């Protein structure tokens, strides 16, 4: 926890005064070798202490931006997940499945996102505590813009980068078209025009100075030569889009610094993501996979223009399958069953329907982790049902 401040001690004693016969309990801990400092730290980190602080009207401060973030320690983003830390300053309140309440310059609005609150907390943590300003932040496929808002809010609270170096550092790409998403989009006064861009601007109005909105078809857009420090990918919805991202973005990653978040990696439809990340496995270190569907990586070696221009769709089927199975084996064990769906879809897309049915039959939907962050059983069940229907249709 670090050095205790006077405010921490004051809060502790304020809390302690309500705790009869707590002093007797503390004496027993001390008698068994616990120091009072350790006890204070334990109390300050407890859920009960947080609840009492809320009743007293004093919320504990979030950790300051840390110059050294251990990407492998999930606490760097877990501490911002609201249902684990109600005092988190993330800019959303989860109100239902894929539905969030956000306070904007236009008041409170309800907005949808396909990301879980865990994934949103990861983006917020990366922008707040990891980003150094060495490269840009790119948000590919931001839909209504809650991912962009989390990145922008985190950036605003980042204490290492001066405010004058935060202008137009977040590039937000999306078609912003409601077309093909009528089953998911929400009603609004402007959606009749067929675009979500108005909602994106509303959700991010307070932070537009930090954002470069890039509406349009990614395949007809560009990037340039600016280095990229955080690359959030939720736009790799086809082989062509995946190849565009690799060609345009991967050569701009900073070895030893850049983090890539592949939001669709667990979802069975986008199996090319796992193939691509395994193809470049000597350029990335796999860090983790978290609920809903995001895997994230640290770039460890430069990727040349020539390497990035390899057309992965043209790889022989056997090589695609080898890469995919290696990527599944590399992933978090509790995610591997859900990732089996990507193998089924690869087989189906290459006409191997009998093998696809055999692999699908063995796909587990059991809960393989008690940790909410690593429980992919619901995704496995949904994907297995969708794949069963797909294979029944031939």
């Amino acid at each position: 926890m670090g050095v205790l401040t006077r405010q921490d001690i004051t809060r502790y004693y304020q809390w302690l005064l309500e705790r009869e016969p707590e002093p007797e309990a503390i004496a027993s801990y001390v008698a068994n070798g616990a120091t009072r400092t350790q006890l204070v730290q334990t109390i300050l980190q407890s859920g009960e202490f947080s609840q009492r602080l809320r009743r007293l009207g004093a919320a504990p401060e979030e950790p300051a931006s840390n110059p050294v973030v251990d990407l492998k320690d999930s606490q760097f983003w877990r501490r911002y997940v609201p249902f684990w830390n109600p005092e988190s300053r993330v800019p959303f309140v989860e109100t239902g499945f894929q539905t969030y309440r956000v306070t904007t310059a236009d008041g409170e609005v309800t907005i949808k996102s396909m990301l879980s609150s865990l994934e949103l907390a990861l983006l917020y943590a990366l922008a707040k505590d990891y980003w150094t300003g060495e490269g840009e932040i790119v948000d590919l496929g931001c839909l209504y813009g809650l991912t962009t808002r989390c990145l922008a809010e985190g950036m605003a609270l980042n204490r290492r980068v001066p405010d004058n170096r935060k202008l137009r550092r977040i590039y937000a790409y999306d078609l912003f078209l409601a077309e093909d998403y009528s089953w998911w989009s929400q009603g609004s006064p402007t959606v009749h025009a067929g675009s979500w861009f108005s909602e994106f601007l509303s959700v991010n109005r307070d932070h537009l100075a930090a954002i470069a909105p890039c509406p349009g078809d990614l395949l007809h857009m560009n990037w340039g030569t600016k280095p990229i420090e955080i690359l959030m990918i939720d736009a790799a919805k086809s082989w062509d889009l995946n190849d565009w991202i690799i060609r345009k973005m991967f050569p701009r990653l900073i070895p030893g610094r850049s983090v890539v978040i592949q939001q669709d990696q667990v979802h069975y439809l986008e199996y090319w993501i796992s193939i691509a990340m395994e193809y470049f496995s000597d350029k990335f270190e796999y860090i983790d996979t978290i609920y809903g569907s995001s895997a994230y990586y640290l770039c460890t070696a430069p990727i040349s223009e020539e390497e990035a221009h390899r057309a992965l769709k043209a790889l022989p089927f056997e090589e695609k399958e080898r890469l995919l199975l290696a990527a599944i084996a590399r992933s978090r064990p509790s995610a591997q069953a859900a990732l089996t769906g990507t193998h089924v879809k690869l087989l189906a897309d290459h006409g191997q329907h009998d093998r696809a049915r055999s692999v699908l039959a063995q796909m587990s939907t059991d809960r393989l982790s008690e940790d909410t962050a690593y429980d992919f059983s619901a995704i496995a069940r949904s994907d297995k049902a969708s794949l069963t229907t797909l294979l029944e249709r031939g």
Side-chain angles (χ1 to χ4, degrees):
M1 176 177 168
V3 178
L4 297 175
T5 66
R6 183 181 297 275
Q7 186 182 32
D8 289 331
I9 301 299
T10 300
R11 287 174 173 172
Y12 163 65
Y13 281 113
Q14 196 172 14
W15 180 85
L16 186 62
L17 287 173
E18 299 179 14
R19 298 291 297 171
E20 288 290 344
E22 189 67 18
E24 184 178 321
I26 288 177
S28 68
Y29 281 113
V30 172
N32 282 284
T35 68
R36 283 182 169 80
T37 297
Q38 288 171 330
L39 289 172
V40 171
Q41 290 175 329
T42 299
I43 289 167
L44 290 174
Q45 294 169 354
S46 70
E48 185 177 355
F49 179 69
S50 295
Q51 293 171 8
R52 288 177 178 271
L53 278 180
R54 287 199 298 278
R55 289 200 295 272
L56 291 168
E61 298 174 3
E62 288 187 344
S65 293
N66 189 339
V68 180
V69 170
D70 182 359
L71 293 174
K72 294 182 179 179
D73 181 1
S74 64
Q75 287 304 315
F76 94 87
W77 59 265
R78 280 177 180 264
R79 65 192 180 197
Y80 297 123
V81 177
F83 58 78
W84 287 326
N85 176 18
E87 281 73 42
S88 172
R89 293 174 64 183
V90 291
F92 61 84
V93 175
E94 189 169 13
T95 58
F97 179 65
Q98 296 186 343
T99 307
Y100 299 88
R101 187 171 68 250
V102 182
T103 302
T104 74
D106 299 328
E108 282 197 348
V109 299
T110 296
I111 209 74
K112 299 191 75 172
S113 174
M114 292 190 180
L115 273 71
S116 70
S117 58
L118 285 75
E119 295 166 296
L120 293 169
L122 170 65
L123 297 179
Y124 174 85
L126 286 169
K128 179 178 180 291
D129 298 331
Y130 184 80
W131 184 63
T132 65
E134 186 178 351
E136 311 306 294
I137 297 176
V138 178
D139 186 8
L140 295 176
C142 49
L143 292 176
Y144 282 109
L146 186 52
T147 53
T148 312
R149 176 65 186 266
C150 288
L151 290 165
E153 197 83 15
M155 174 189 283
L157 296 172
N158 185 307
R159 299 178 185 177
R160 286 181 298 171
V161 182
D163 287 346
N164 62 2
R165 293 185 55 213
K166 295 177 180 178
L167 301 178
R168 299 290 187 269
R169 301 301 300 276
I170 301 172
Y171 288 77
Y173 286 79
D174 203 283
L175 278 170
F176 296 108
L177 296 179
E179 183 182 15
D180 298 329
Y181 282 89
S182 58
W183 56 275
W184 186 79
S185 61
Q186 64 187 48
S188 79
T190 58
V191 74
H192 64 86
S195 173
W196 295 327
F197 196 46
S198 176
E199 281 83 355
F200 172 88
L201 293 175
S202 176
V203 167
N204 288 287
R205 195 174 307 283
D206 296 344
H207 297 285
L208 286 178
I211 300 168
C214 301
D217 183 348
L218 206 60
L219 296 177
H220 296 282
M221 302 180 81
N222 213 326
W223 174 247
T225 60
K226 286 187 175 183
I228 299 171
E229 191 168 353
I230 298 172
L231 177 57
M232 163 61 182
I233 303 173
D234 193 9
K237 307 297 187 183
S238 68
W239 277 108
D240 288 344
L241 286 165
N242 191 59
D243 284 349
W244 184 96
I245 293 165
I246 293 169
R247 289 196 313 272
K248 303 292 186 180
M249 303 284 180
F250 278 22
R252 308 301 169 227
L253 298 174
I254 307 165
R257 188 67 213 164
S258 295
V259 174
V260 173
I261 306 98
Q262 289 281 11
Q263 199 282 322
D264 282 315
Q265 184 142 354
V266 179
H267 193 232
Y268 73 90
L269 283 173
E270 292 88 4
Y271 56 81
W272 41 80
I273 293 174
S274 289
I275 291 172
M277 296 311 293
E278 189 62 29
Y279 181 84
F280 289 104
S281 60
D282 61 336
K283 311 291 186 180
F284 291 97
E285 179 183 1
Y286 165 74
I287 304 297
D288 208 351
T289 308
I290 62 173
Y291 182 87
S293 188
S294 289
Y296 57 104
Y297 301 79
L298 175 69
C299 178
T300 57
I303 300 171
S304 69
E305 300 280 353
E306 182 181 3
E307 290 169 322
H309 274 73
R310 177 67 190 269
L312 299 183
K313 186 178 181 179
L315 291 173
F317 166 77
E318 292 76 16
E319 180 63 4
K320 291 176 184 173
E321 184 177 34
R322 184 192 70 78
L323 290 168
L324 179 58
L325 292 176
I328 292 172
R330 189 187 299 276
S331 185
R332 175 170 285 277
S334 63
Q336 290 175 7
L339 280 162
T340 300
T342 63
H343 188 204
V344 174
K345 188 64 166 61
L346 170 73
L347 292 167
D349 280 0
H350 288 77
Q352 300 198 24
H353 293 93
D354 288 341
R355 282 192 64 203
R357 293 185 184 93
S358 176
V359 172
L360 182 62
Q362 299 173 52
M363 180 176 170
S364 173
T365 59
D366 295 340
R367 181 167 186 166
L368 302 176
S369 175
E370 293 304 311
D371 189 334
T372 303
Y374 303 125
D375 174 22
F376 299 92
S377 57
I379 294 172
R381 287 193 296 274
S382 175
D383 287 0
K384 189 168 187 177
S386 297
L387 286 162
T388 298
T389 301
L390 182 147
L391 290 172
E392 286 174 350
R393 293 172 180 169

